[in-house]
Amino acid sequence: MSDRLTLADLNARDAAGFVDALSGLFEHSPWIPERVAGQRPFDSLTALHAAMTAAVEAAGEEGQLALLRNHPDLAGRAAVAGELTEASSGEQASAGLDSLSEDEMARFQELNGRYRERFGFPFIKAVRGADKARILAAFEGRVDTPWHRELATALHEVGKIAWLRLLSTVEPAPTGKLTTHVLDTAGGCPAARLPLALWYLDADDGATRVGDFVTNDDGRLAGPALQGADVRPGLYQWVFEAGVYFARAGHTTTATPFLDRIPLSFGISNPEAHYHVPLLLSPWSISIYRGS
Amino acid sequence: MSDRLTLADLNARDAAGFVDALSGLFEHSPWIPERVAGQRPFDSLTALHAAMTAAVEAAGEEGQLALLRNHPDLAGRAAVAGELTEASSGEQASAGLDSLSEDEMARFQELNGRYRERFGFPFIKAVRGADKARILAAFEGRVDTPWHRELATALHEVGKIAWLRLLSTVEPAPTGKLTTHVLDTAGGCPAARLPLALWYLDADDGATRVGDFVTNDDGRLAGPALQGADVRPGLYQWVFEAGVYFARAGHTTTATPFLDRIPLSFGISNPEAHYHVPLLLSPWSISIYRGS
Amino acid sequence: MSDRLTLADLNARDAAGFVDALSGLFEHSPWIPERVAGQRPFDSLTALHAAMTAAVEAAGEEGQLALLRNHPDLAGRAAVAGELTEASSGEQASAGLDSLSEDEMARFQELNGRYRERFGFPFIKAVRGADKARILAAFEGRVDTPWHRELATALHEVGKIAWLRLLSTVEPAPTGKLTTHVLDTAGGCPAARLPLALWYLDADDGATRVGDFVTNDDGRLAGPALQGADVRPGLYQWVFEAGVYFARAGHTTTATPFLDRIPLSFGISNPEAHYHVPLLLSPWSISIYRGS
Amino acid sequence: MSDRLTLADLNARDAAGFVDALSGLFEHSPWIPERVAGQRPFDSLTALHAAMTAAVEAAGEEGQLALLRNHPDLAGRAAVAGELTEASSGEQASAGLDSLSEDEMARFQELNGRYRERFGFPFIKAVRGADKARILAAFEGRVDTPWHRELATALHEVGKIAWLRLLSTVEPAPTGKLTTHVLDTAGGCPAARLPLALWYLDADDGATRVGDFVTNDDGRLAGPALQGADVRPGLYQWVFEAGVYFARAGHTTTATPFLDRIPLSFGISNPEAHYHVPLLLSPWSISIYRGS
């Protein structure tokens, strides 16, 4: 991602240059960056994205429907004919939609047809990182929802697509961090001296060990596990060595412990945000959640 | 494990044969199976183990201390000299205690010495499946505990060692099963049509896919994921395809979802028991625990 | 509620009688029961309500907006002038909207105005059981949402109002039940022999003890705590005597236990449904949720 | 509790005066404060209690058994004859043991006899705040445990009794505080602007409203709900107005919400400690636990 613009670059451009840089974010809809160019400078991708989302909201139903109708069908005629925008083409391929079986293709066409007839716009979903099962499940879940709810959902998906494209285009502000905290719910105390590792999971199922940590007396790490430019969007995995903690704390476990080494996967969508991902732990139960 | 006895075999033997079969369970202590031989028939390893545990409890402090003192030090002189029982030797090797660095060896000797001086018996821990970090953490946690608590802990570890050896010696009764249940805590309903897989994790970090399932309308599987002889003690991993469920249920997620594919590891210690391992799930939090 | 119709009565009426019975459910909108009269017999209020909701959905945006516009403002001019339907008048009074201070009244008028101008229909909320704080919070949360989301929310509130009025008009089917299950997440086992009580909380802050129970060896009650006609919509409270369980189970607690007697409140909205309301319990943590 | 000593007073006394002040903490065992007098000054009751606990541990089995045997039976002969220490007498009365029915008295005598015969010392339990059900459950749970575990449990109860008596004798250090944090596990964000109240629950079932709070944007309070001398040991109740938060956040709820006003009770045992008592909240699930 070394060829991304910086926020400073983007803020320094003239309006045409700003719009040009962001013209691919919303399918065939340069009017969206146009309407927010005057709000610069943006100090984060988060703020820039929020401004563009507000512009879409302010465009009213007519403008929103036009935006939606600029999108191609998933696995649709345009995809087959090679007529997608470059961004759309790559996204659809990453989800495996360029290699559907004949039956799968037929299922997509049938759903595309029902959906378009019911709603008057194509089915839209941010598919990077998804797979056929997730896309079909979304299709089946959404094809029968009330029209107004579905319009809101479709616009939300458009916003997610724009977010992913924005992350490929501009460097995020270095404000993000990842932290954790481990609490022992059987003992009612912090889980001190618990070793853990952090892994980054690549799209191709590879995994990179990002760091090794040990909790302090308060059950926290000495500092963020990740911060600033090191916070990349994507999939991560904590591996908590709960068995080491249980052994030191004197918690009774069975011959093969119910919980011992605990891998827990989570995703970071916004690299500018603080992800606090704590663990509540007993020898027989775990909870993990996004904290603050 | 095909050369294990059956419970029927064990129950059919004369007392001497019964004791002989189980003589390796408790270190140099055939008196323990002797005292329970008359309680046969046992219909489960669980019942047999409970009877032997009760015999140890009934033996009083003197008998218990003698039992504890029959155990070798972990990574101790006897191990170095090759004087362990076959069972102990294999257990210590499986935890990597046969290949300690000089520093690690010195640390173990120091802890062995402090522990023996304080408690009057050797440090005992069921080490199959553990590693150096877990064993050292247990050592450090236990070396300063009150004497009476530590006696109880040491006896509990003896019971765990016997359980693991018993599982290698006799086939368990086919009463066990593994089930799950997925509840949507954001929606207040069962998580229906959620695909999941079950993996068995081998000691050498390999993994075997045991089965693929989909939750029904009540968030449960059509039947047990495992039952009877298929319930092997060891480490397992559920992989819940939460992203598929969220997509169908219409739950809002971020561009890279916080939770999507969720691997959750757990151990089965008693293959005769029912392990109900349910999941509470929202797009931002998970809980897993041993249910019933 | 002894003067409610039965489902059998309702199903047996001619269409005009059916519509007449339900004409008050949706504000000035008898066309909604009219459109579902032909789907009889309904075997539950749940099914009848779902049919009417579907009729509203099928009416399209125009019909939906007309329905919304039939509602009076909350604490609005019609309320002050005494021109509400009897149902609306009682609902608004139950939430304290008939006794607002001058400042509160001004705040409602301001929000009513902003809301109407933005959305083109009045702010609608099912207010029975709510209070001024809840109604104002909803007002403030909704007045700035996107139009399409808010339309969906307003229709959902209309459905809730109709549900509450339906419960006052027709007896529910006796299919409901209330159950629980207590699991010990520190011990990894059911919480057996734990005493608990169930209370019904009246609108006037009184409380009626409905029953006393003790969990069995599986952590469950011998049967439903409530079932059939005994399942009344409203507010309930479990009181779990966790301290008794901890004492018997030998869990260590502090001199004043962190958790001991645990009251947990919850509401039953649909008396035809199964409410499974389990508790996950350790001496230092509790979770309660709607299960299945 | 205005006639309590201060820690400064206690530290300033000569050894005899120190022992005299604390002579009632451990039943007929002034040797325990004697052994720690030389460790002064103590800067907290927590440290003083830990020192005395260590002295008991260091006394060995003989000294520990003598300490245990100085205690009277619960509801025993000495109680009936009016021969208890003043402290014991008040404690037993507070748990209702001075007004047992004939059957209850017989049950206690039977358990007292079995327990003494098995363990060689009387059944000891910190009973302030407990009731007959809790005491009988503890009795039944402990009468059959292994001797070594029970010795540890009995000593732990002696420590709890001493802690409660210490709190009546000396003012705690003003280091304690009570905080909370509310997280929305359906939305993955802090629960902002959620009103809550804190109540203190008196022994006689009265309740005092201690304070009213609203969470900030991070889901926390502006400062501790209690701190310093305001942290009294005893029972508390949070009342979270979750319904207000859900309304503002736009979370969908049913006509009668499953969760709305949520009272959650907890105890503070150590007024010198930080009690962080957070809430994880969705419209269908809650978790509360002791955090840090």
Side-chain angles (χ1 to χ4, degrees):
Chain A
M1 295 196 168
S2 57
D3 55 347
R4 292 184 297 178
L5 291 171
T6 64
L7 270 162
D9 292 339
L10 196 69
N11 284 321
R13 290 188 163 208
D14 62 15
F18 173 83
V19 171
D20 188 56
L22 305 183
S23 63
L25 268 55
F26 292 86
E27 205 79 0
H28 306 299
S29 302
W31 61 267
I32 299 170
E34 271 166 29
R35 294 198 188 167
V36 306
Q39 296 176 35
R40 291 182 292 165
F42 292 105
D43 65 359
S44 66
L45 301 191
T46 307
L48 168 55
H49 187 265
M52 294 189 292
T53 301
V56 171
E57 168 60 17
E61 189 170 306
E62 199 175 342
Q64 292 162 3
L65 288 173
L67 169 61
L68 297 179
R69 289 175 184 143
N70 282 337
H71 284 72
D73 283 343
L74 282 180
R77 194 197 47 74
V80 173
E83 296 166 1
L84 299 183
T85 62
E86 192 181 345
S88 278
S89 176
E91 288 156 2
Q92 297 207 16
S94 81
L97 298 186
D98 58 345
S99 59
L100 296 175
S101 72
E102 213 161 305
D103 279 1
E104 290 168 339
M105 181 62 85
R107 178 75 177 134
F108 268 95
Q109 301 322 328
E110 187 259 331
L111 286 163
N112 273 327
R114 273 176 60 202
Y115 186 96
R116 261 190 188 275
E117 181 172 328
R118 178 172 169 87
F119 296 113
F121 49 83
F123 176 77
I124 300 168
K125 181 172 164 54
V127 297
R128 192 169 294 281
D131 59 10
K132 283 182 283 191
R134 280 157 177 74
I135 297 167
L136 275 173
F139 228 145
E140 292 165 0
R142 288 165 54 186
V143 74
D144 292 320
T145 52
W147 194 88
H148 294 106
R149 283 202 186 278
E150 182 55 21
L151 179 57
T153 299
L155 291 170
H156 182 70
E157 293 294 322
V158 167
K160 285 161 65 172
I161 294 168
W163 175 254
L164 289 165
R165 293 178 181 174
L166 180 58
L167 286 173
S168 300
T169 307
V170 188
E171 288 177 17
T175 50
K177 60 179 173 171
L178 170 64
T179 56
T180 190
H181 188 190
V182 190
L183 283 157
D184 175 348
T185 55
C189 58
R193 301 184 64 187
L194 189 154
L196 61 152
L198 179 68
W199 295 77
Y200 184 80
L201 308 181
D202 298 308
D204 60 353
D205 287 335
T208 306
R209 192 169 191 122
V210 176
D212 289 274
F213 311 93
V214 181
T215 58
N216 61 19
D217 284 351
D218 191 35
R220 300 178 192 267
L221 310 188
L226 292 176
Q227 59 183 324
D230 290 337
V231 185
R232 300 162 56 197
L235 300 184
Y236 290 85
Q237 190 170 68
W238 293 121
V239 180
F240 294 97
E241 299 291 340
V244 175
Y245 170 73
F246 293 148
R248 183 173 282 110
H251 282 320
T252 301
T253 55
T254 46
T256 300
F258 183 65
L259 295 172
D260 189 345
R261 171 169 294 139
I262 306 178
L264 287 167
S265 300
F266 63 96
I268 288 185
S269 188
N270 184 347
E272 297 178 333
H274 178 192
Y275 281 71
H276 183 57
V277 186
L279 175 68
L280 307 182
L281 177 69
S282 90
W284 299 96
S285 71
I286 47 178
S287 296
I288 194 162
Y289 54 94
R290 180 157 183 198
S292 86
Chain B
M1 296 198 168
S2 58
D3 56 347
R4 291 185 296 178
L5 291 171
T6 64
L7 270 163
D9 292 340
L10 195 70
N11 285 320
R13 290 187 164 209
D14 62 17
F18 173 82
V19 171
D20 188 56
L22 304 183
S23 62
L25 268 56
F26 292 86
E27 205 79 1
H28 305 302
S29 303
W31 60 268
I32 299 170
E34 272 166 29
R35 293 197 189 166
V36 307
Q39 295 176 35
R40 289 181 294 166
F42 292 105
D43 64 359
S44 66
L45 302 191
T46 307
L48 168 54
H49 187 264
M52 293 189 293
T53 300
V56 171
E57 167 61 16
E61 189 171 305
E62 200 176 341
Q64 292 162 5
L65 288 172
L67 169 60
L68 296 179
R69 290 175 183 143
N70 283 337
H71 285 72
D73 282 344
L74 283 180
R77 196 198 44 74
V80 174
E83 295 166 1
L84 299 181
T85 62
E86 191 182 345
S88 278
S89 176
E91 287 156 3
Q92 297 206 15
S94 81
L97 298 186
D98 58 347
S99 58
L100 295 176
S101 73
E102 214 161 303
D103 280 1
E104 291 167 340
M105 182 61 84
R107 179 76 178 134
F108 269 94
Q109 300 324 327
E110 188 259 331
L111 286 164
N112 272 328
R114 275 176 59 202
Y115 186 97
R116 258 192 191 276
E117 183 173 326
R118 179 174 168 88
F119 296 113
F121 48 84
F123 177 76
I124 301 169
K125 180 171 164 55
V127 296
R128 191 169 295 282
D131 58 11
K132 283 180 286 191
R134 282 157 176 74
I135 296 167
L136 275 173
F139 228 143
E140 292 165 1
R142 289 165 55 186
V143 73
D144 292 322
T145 52
W147 195 88
H148 295 107
R149 281 203 189 277
E150 181 55 22
L151 178 58
T153 299
L155 292 170
H156 183 70
E157 293 295 320
V158 167
K160 285 160 67 172
I161 294 169
W163 175 253
L164 290 164
R165 294 178 180 174
L166 181 58
L167 286 173
S168 299
T169 309
V170 188
E171 287 176 17
T175 50
K177 59 180 173 171
L178 171 64
T179 56
T180 190
H181 188 189
V182 190
L183 284 158
D184 175 349
T185 54
C189 58
R193 300 184 64 188
L194 188 154
L196 62 152
L198 179 68
W199 296 77
Y200 183 81
L201 307 182
D202 297 309
D204 59 354
D205 287 335
T208 307
R209 192 167 192 124
V210 177
D212 289 274
F213 311 92
V214 180
T215 58
N216 62 19
D217 284 351
D218 191 35
R220 299 177 193 268
L221 311 188
L226 293 175
Q227 59 184 324
D230 290 337
V231 185
R232 299 163 56 197
L235 300 185
Y236 290 85
Q237 190 169 70
W238 292 121
V239 180
F240 293 96
E241 300 290 341
V244 175
Y245 170 73
F246 293 147
R248 184 173 281 109
H251 282 319
T252 301
T253 55
T254 47
T256 300
F258 183 65
L259 296 171
D260 188 345
R261 171 168 295 138
I262 306 177
L264 288 166
S265 299
F266 62 97
I268 289 186
S269 188
N270 184 346
E272 297 177 334
H274 177 192
Y275 281 72
H276 183 57
V277 186
L279 176 68
L280 307 183
L281 177 68
S282 90
W284 299 96
S285 72
I286 47 178
S287 296
I288 194 161
Y289 54 94
R290 181 158 183 198
S292 85
Chain C
M1 295 197 169
S2 57
D3 56 347
R4 291 185 295 179
L5 291 171
T6 64
L7 270 163
D9 293 338
L10 195 70
N11 285 321
R13 289 185 166 212
D14 62 16
F18 173 82
V19 171
D20 187 56
L22 304 183
S23 62
L25 268 54
F26 292 86
E27 206 79 0
H28 305 300
S29 303
W31 59 267
I32 298 171
E34 272 167 28
R35 293 200 189 165
V36 306
Q39 295 176 36
R40 290 180 294 165
F42 292 104
D43 64 0
S44 66
L45 302 191
T46 306
L48 168 54
H49 187 264
M52 293 189 293
T53 301
V56 171
E57 167 60 18
E61 189 170 306
E62 198 176 345
Q64 292 162 5
L65 288 172
L67 169 60
L68 298 178
R69 290 174 183 143
N70 282 337
H71 286 72
D73 283 343
L74 283 180
R77 195 198 45 75
V80 174
E83 295 167 1
L84 300 181
T85 63
E86 191 181 348
S88 280
S89 175
E91 288 156 3
Q92 297 206 16
S94 81
L97 298 186
D98 58 345
S99 59
L100 296 176
S101 72
E102 215 160 301
D103 280 1
E104 290 168 339
M105 181 61 85
R107 178 76 178 133
F108 269 95
Q109 300 323 327
E110 188 260 330
L111 285 163
N112 273 328
R114 275 177 57 202
Y115 186 97
R116 261 192 189 274
E117 183 172 329
R118 178 172 168 88
F119 296 113
F121 48 84
F123 176 77
I124 300 168
K125 179 171 165 55
V127 297
R128 191 169 295 281
D131 59 10
K132 284 180 284 190
R134 282 157 175 74
I135 296 167
L136 275 173
F139 228 143
E140 292 165 0
R142 288 166 54 186
V143 73
D144 292 321
T145 52
W147 196 88
H148 294 108
R149 282 203 189 278
E150 182 54 23
L151 179 58
T153 299
L155 291 170
H156 182 70
E157 293 295 321
V158 167
K160 284 160 68 172
I161 294 168
W163 174 254
L164 289 165
R165 293 178 181 174
L166 180 57
L167 286 173
S168 299
T169 309
V170 189
E171 287 177 17
T175 51
K177 60 180 172 170
L178 170 65
T179 56
T180 190
H181 187 190
V182 190
L183 283 157
D184 176 349
T185 55
C189 57
R193 300 184 62 188
L194 189 154
L196 61 152
L198 179 68
W199 296 78
Y200 183 81
L201 307 181
D202 297 308
D204 59 354
D205 287 335
T208 307
R209 192 168 193 125
V210 177
D212 289 274
F213 311 93
V214 181
T215 58
N216 62 19
D217 284 352
D218 191 35
R220 299 177 192 269
L221 311 188
L226 293 176
Q227 60 183 323
D230 290 337
V231 185
R232 300 163 56 196
L235 300 183
Y236 291 84
Q237 189 170 68
W238 293 121
V239 180
F240 294 96
E241 300 290 340
V244 175
Y245 169 72
F246 293 148
R248 183 174 281 109
H251 283 319
T252 301
T253 55
T254 47
T256 300
F258 184 66
L259 296 171
D260 189 344
R261 172 169 295 139
I262 306 178
L264 287 166
S265 300
F266 63 96
I268 288 185
S269 188
N270 184 347
E272 296 178 335
H274 177 192
Y275 281 71
H276 183 57
V277 186
L279 176 68
L280 307 183
L281 177 68
S282 90
W284 298 97
S285 71
I286 48 179
S287 296
I288 194 161
Y289 54 94
R290 182 160 183 196
S292 85
Chain D
M1 296 196 166
S2 58
D3 56 348
R4 291 186 295 179
L5 291 171
T6 64
L7 270 162
D9 293 339
L10 196 69
N11 285 321
R13 289 188 166 210
D14 62 15
F18 174 82
V19 171
D20 187 57
L22 305 183
S23 63
L25 268 55
F26 292 87
E27 205 81 0
H28 305 300
S29 302
W31 59 268
I32 298 170
E34 270 167 29
R35 293 197 189 167
V36 305
Q39 296 176 32
R40 290 181 294 163
F42 292 105
D43 64 358
S44 67
L45 301 191
T46 306
L48 168 56
H49 187 264
M52 294 189 292
T53 301
V56 171
E57 168 60 16
E61 189 169 307
E62 199 175 342
Q64 292 162 4
L65 288 172
L67 169 61
L68 297 179
R69 288 175 184 142
N70 283 336
H71 285 72
D73 284 343
L74 283 180
R77 195 197 46 75
V80 173
E83 296 166 1
L84 300 182
T85 61
E86 193 181 343
S88 278
S89 175
E91 287 156 3
Q92 297 207 15
S94 81
L97 298 186
D98 59 345
S99 60
L100 296 175
S101 72
E102 214 162 303
D103 280 0
E104 290 168 339
M105 181 61 84
R107 178 75 178 135
F108 268 95
Q109 301 322 327
E110 188 260 329
L111 285 163
N112 273 326
R114 273 177 59 203
Y115 186 96
R116 262 190 188 275
E117 181 172 329
R118 178 173 169 88
F119 296 112
F121 49 83
F123 176 76
I124 300 169
K125 181 173 164 53
V127 297
R128 191 169 295 281
D131 59 10
K132 283 180 285 190
R134 281 155 176 76
I135 296 167
L136 275 172
F139 228 144
E140 292 164 2
R142 289 166 54 187
V143 73
D144 292 320
T145 51
W147 195 87
H148 295 106
R149 281 201 190 279
E150 182 55 20
L151 178 57
T153 299
L155 291 170
H156 182 70
E157 292 295 320
V158 167
K160 286 160 65 173
I161 294 169
W163 175 254
L164 289 165
R165 292 177 181 175
L166 181 58
L167 287 173
S168 300
T169 308
V170 188
E171 286 177 18
T175 51
K177 60 180 173 172
L178 170 65
T179 56
T180 190
H181 188 189
V182 190
L183 284 156
D184 175 349
T185 55
C189 58
R193 299 184 65 187
L194 188 155
L196 61 152
L198 178 68
W199 295 77
Y200 183 81
L201 307 182
D202 297 307
D204 59 353
D205 288 336
T208 307
R209 192 169 192 123
V210 177
D212 289 274
F213 311 93
V214 180
T215 58
N216 62 20
D217 284 352
D218 191 36
R220 301 179 192 266
L221 310 189
L226 292 176
Q227 60 183 324
D230 290 338
V231 186
R232 299 162 58 196
L235 300 183
Y236 290 85
Q237 189 169 69
W238 293 121
V239 179
F240 294 96
E241 299 291 339
V244 176
Y245 169 73
F246 293 147
R248 184 173 282 110
H251 282 321
T252 302
T253 56
T254 47
T256 300
F258 183 64
L259 296 171
D260 190 343
R261 172 169 293 140
I262 306 178
L264 288 167
S265 300
F266 63 96
I268 288 185
S269 188
N270 184 347
E272 296 178 335
H274 178 192
Y275 281 72
H276 184 56
V277 186
L279 176 68
L280 307 182
L281 177 68
S282 90
W284 299 96
S285 70
I286 47 177
S287 296
I288 193 161
Y289 55 94
R290 181 158 182 197
S292 86

